[in-house]
Amino acid sequence: MGAAAGKAAPAKDRLAIAENTVLQWNRCPDADTGIWDAAAACTNERLLDAVDEILDLAEAQPFPAASAAAARLDSALRVAMLRMMDEFLRLRVWNASSQDLRLAVDRLSVGVSANAQWLAVHGTGDRSSSASTVGRASGGSPSSAPGDLVGFLNVEFLDDLQLLCPASLPVLHEIARRVIRAGYTKELVQKFTNSPCDVLDRFLSIFQGECSRRTTEAVIKLWSLATKLIGKALVVMQRQLYAQNSPGAFDALKDEYFLAITKNRILNLLKFADDFTSITSHEKLIYILGMYEALSEATPGLLLMFTGPHKELVTERSEEILTKLARSIRSMVTSLIAKVGDDVSNTKNIVGVGVHPLTQYSVLCIERLAPHRDTLDLILASGGDVTSLSDLSSRVVGCLDRVLLLDEKPVPPRDAAAAAAAGSRHHLFLANNANFVLQRCKPMLGDEWAAARESVVERHVAGYAEACWAPVVACLEPAGRKPEKVVAKFSAAFDKAYESQVSCEVPDPALRDALRRAVSEKVVTAYGVYLETHPKLEKSDRYTAGELGQWLSELFEGDAAEHNK
């Protein structure tokens, strides 16, 4: 034995040599790599021999119980075991250094953060900025976010990664065998609490690192990702740890070890979530809802990792935070309805005929909640004034109806031309907004509601055709005039109406076609009948009925309808 004087040497000499080796090691713990390096390679057999010599002497008890040599042996044994525990803490049991793991986690982190940042800019914020921004973003479609958020949350890649360092397990058996042999098992178990786990810590770093530089939305989304990753990683880690076919002393401590590395990190996750339970702003609703889902989905699997008092503690803490998050979500839903109501009440002097930014913003808020419908319905059904996503959607739409959708305010009395122009803009605006809500909210509000809303859209389509184009058709009434003058007056009125309407935009193709049909049925049909009753005009009239239909087919394209007429 390199560090000992040999079994035949006196016990006092053997102790002196082993004690000196261990004490020198204890005085300068960083002077060498210890017994094993982080990769589980034995780099100092002399130190290991000294530990074994002290263990052999402790079991043989060669010194009188109250002697100074026995006290020295006990002290040397204590130092040796403490250093063995330090060896355990410096050993890399879990491998977070693989390139596949680093790239996957980095990609997930960047992707989720980018989505949260995009949604924060395009889907939330104060009314002055968010609503107008949503209006520019493809009609407020949630699918226009960069990348697939569901794809970013795919954690199945962990199934194919080797998270356990296989070479470390024999070393764990070696350390455990000596510690158990010396009677220091309790002390080693206490050390498990501080055991490093690079895999879990890498996932925790996703949301812990530089939180102050990220938006709240990004931090919450990254927390949800880290929770999913840790939940999945723990399953894989436990499977790999218990699948090792190298039985040894550490097997008796695996449960305590795995519980220790899991417990503190889970409590860390829960503490972080608890810090967000006081948020009540509706702008954070989608993120708090995601946090609730991530925690509720992960909790059953996480609890499988615990037993006894530890399981009770984590269960109680998880349920407490889920309850607080649910309370916060209900408060946010109430805040969202109140916000839309206030914005509607403050909406004055509506300009334009397109989908109003407030309509886009409100509907987008509802749409973003749709993928979380089951969770939200469960939370809302457990208390509060709003009972479901459908109820929330109905209330938001009800707020919009008061001003933007079903507003039947009479056109202010002015001259006939001004009244016609105002009336046409009024009906076109209402048709656009009612149809937008119809198409986007039907999944939440059902077929019966959709049927009633379709009749609203049809009424405003007919109202638009009547307000804008009935005065044009009225020019065809003979009233004793010569047919040539009637057609000339009609053509002038048609030109004026066309020029005022051609740049109006109707984004929805189906509504655009319905409006064109309504106008064509009113204008082209009447014009065609007039020409039939005055066949001599066919060679002298400015337009044929077919040409009118062609011009009308170009309405409602917005700026794309430019042409040389």
Side-chain angles (χ1 to χ4, degrees):
M1 176 185 300
K7 299 299 182 183
K12 189 173 183 180
D13 293 341
R14 292 166 57 194
L15 173 61
I17 295 173
E19 179 187 35
N20 182 63
T21 301
V22 171
L23 288 177
Q24 286 182 344
W25 179 26
N26 190 48
R27 293 189 195 99
C28 304
D30 298 324
D32 55 37
T33 59
I35 297 176
W36 296 276
D37 61 19
C42 184
T43 59
N44 198 329
E45 292 186 4
R46 178 171 174 268
L47 291 176
L48 186 59
D49 288 343
V51 171
D52 288 340
E53 182 76 286
I54 292 172
L55 278 171
D56 289 342
L57 290 170
E59 288 180 341
Q61 297 183 348
F63 308 116
S67 66
R72 285 176 54 200
L73 178 58
D74 287 342
S75 176
L77 180 63
R78 181 179 62 81
V79 171
M81 290 303 103
L82 289 176
R83 294 304 302 162
M84 289 297 289
M85 294 174 204
D86 288 340
E87 288 291 304
F88 169 80
L89 293 178
R90 72 195 294 174
L91 186 67
R92 190 175 74 244
V93 180
W94 303 101
N95 180 25
S97 62
S98 72
Q99 184 177 10
D100 289 340
L101 180 63
R102 290 200 308 272
L103 290 177
V105 171
D106 290 345
R107 182 180 67 86
L108 291 168
S109 175
V110 171
V112 171
S113 182
N115 262 273
Q117 294 280 7
W118 186 92
L119 290 173
V121 172
H122 291 76
T124 58
D126 59 56
R127 274 284 303 112
S128 61
S129 61
S130 62
S132 59
T133 307
V134 171
R136 295 192 295 270
S138 64
S141 172
S143 62
S144 53
D148 180 5
L149 199 56
V150 175
F152 286 127
L153 294 180
N154 179 15
V155 297
E156 300 306 315
F157 73 93
L158 289 168
D159 284 322
D160 300 323
L161 296 181
Q162 179 62 44
L163 301 181
L164 178 70
C165 298
S168 67
L169 205 59
V171 177
L172 292 177
H173 290 314
E174 290 292 313
I175 293 173
R177 179 172 64 82
R178 290 170 171 82
V179 171
I180 293 172
R181 182 181 169 192
Y184 276 76
T185 305
K186 181 179 178 180
E187 288 78 1
L188 177 60
V189 170
Q190 290 174 345
K191 289 286 186 178
F192 287 165
T193 301
N194 298 321
S195 299
C197 183
D198 294 344
V199 172
L200 297 181
D201 291 340
R202 176 175 288 276
F203 296 154
L204 287 171
S205 70
I206 291 174
F207 72 91
Q208 288 178 329
E210 299 183 353
C211 284
S212 61
R213 299 185 183 181
R214 301 181 185 270
T215 64
T216 300
E217 292 83 359
V219 172
I220 293 175
K221 204 64 193 177
L222 290 171
W223 178 93
S224 299
L225 171 63
T227 300
K228 289 177 180 289
L229 286 170
I230 288 175
K232 178 65 177 180
L234 286 173
V235 173
V236 176
M237 290 166 60
Q238 189 178 51
R239 183 176 68 240
Q240 293 181 1
L241 179 63
Y242 284 79
Q244 299 300 309
N245 296 319
S246 55
F250 187 68
D251 288 340
L253 304 177
K254 279 182 179 178
D255 289 341
E256 289 284 353
Y257 166 71
F258 199 73
L259 174 65
I261 65 172
T262 301
K263 177 184 173 183
N264 281 349
R265 290 167 175 87
I266 296 305
L267 291 177
N268 192 350
L269 278 174
L270 295 177
K271 181 181 182 302
F272 190 87
D274 194 27
D275 293 338
F276 287 86
T277 57
S278 60
I279 295 177
T280 58
S281 169
H282 71 277
E283 296 168 359
K284 314 300 182 186
L285 173 56
I286 192 69
Y287 304 102
I288 299 299
L289 188 56
M291 177 175 277
Y292 181 97
E293 286 183 331
L295 181 56
S296 61
E297 290 170 6
T299 295
L302 296 177
L303 291 178
L304 294 176
M305 310 293 169
F306 301 97
T307 58
H310 300 293
K311 186 171 186 175
E312 293 177 4
L313 172 63
V314 175
T315 300
E316 179 181 346
R317 189 71 175 128
S318 299
E319 290 177 350
E320 175 190 357
I321 294 173
L322 286 172
T323 298
K324 293 168 73 173
L325 287 172
R327 186 185 306 123
S328 179
I329 288 168
R330 287 192 291 270
S331 177
M332 291 177 182
V333 167
T334 301
S335 174
L336 173 59
I337 296 173
K339 178 64 175 176
V340 174
D342 289 344
D343 286 350
V344 167
S345 299
N346 294 329
T347 299
K348 298 177 181 179
N349 301 323
I350 295 175
V351 178
V353 298
V355 180
H356 197 278
L358 178 56
T359 304
Q360 294 178 328
Y361 173 73
S362 302
V363 171
L364 180 59
C365 288
I366 296 172
E367 281 187 319
R368 289 177 59 201
L369 295 173
H372 310 275
R373 181 169 195 160
D374 291 343
T375 302
L376 187 59
D377 284 353
L378 182 66
I379 292 172
L380 295 179
S382 63
D385 185 39
V386 184
T387 59
S388 65
L389 176 59
S390 294
D391 186 18
L392 167 62
S393 303
S394 179
R395 292 174 186 239
V396 170
V397 171
C399 292
L400 295 174
D401 281 349
R402 291 202 294 270
V403 171
L404 300 180
L405 304 183
L406 304 180
D407 183 8
E408 297 291 353
K409 292 181 293 186
V411 176
R414 290 183 288 179
D415 62 84
S424 63
R425 288 195 302 271
H426 177 70
H427 285 292
L428 199 56
F429 172 81
L430 295 178
N432 263 325
N433 282 268
N435 182 71
F436 181 85
V437 175
L438 167 63
Q439 300 303 321
R440 307 293 274 270
C441 293
K442 182 177 179 179
M444 277 75 76
L445 294 174
D447 293 339
E448 184 176 349
W449 171 86
R453 185 61 44 143
E454 286 171 357
S455 67
V456 173
V457 176
E458 291 169 358
R459 185 169 73 249
H460 287 302
V461 167
Y464 165 78
E466 180 66 22
C468 184
W469 297 96
V472 176
V473 174
C475 295
L476 295 173
E477 297 177 1
R481 293 188 177 186
K482 293 181 179 181
E484 293 81 1
K485 291 185 177 181
V486 170
V487 170
K489 182 178 181 181
F490 169 84
S491 297
F494 177 87
D495 288 347
K496 185 175 181 180
Y498 177 88
E499 293 298 336
S500 69
Q501 299 299 305
V502 68
S503 61
C504 294
E505 183 175 5
V506 177
D508 182 68
L511 178 60
R512 193 160 57 236
D513 290 343
L515 285 161
R516 288 169 177 169
R517 284 195 305 272
V519 174
S520 183
E521 288 171 2
K522 181 175 288 293
V523 177
V524 177
T525 300
Y527 187 62
V529 170
Y530 189 82
L531 292 180
E532 288 177 2
T533 59
H534 300 83
K536 295 182 179 181
L537 292 173
E538 291 185 3
K539 295 182 179 181
S540 61
D541 62 300
R542 182 174 180 184
Y543 299 119
T544 66
E547 288 172 339
L548 285 186
Q550 180 60 40
W551 290 123
L552 293 176
S553 69
E554 297 176 358
L555 290 175
F556 314 122
E557 294 285 355
D559 294 337
E562 294 181 357
H563 57 81
N564 295 319
K565 185 173 180 296

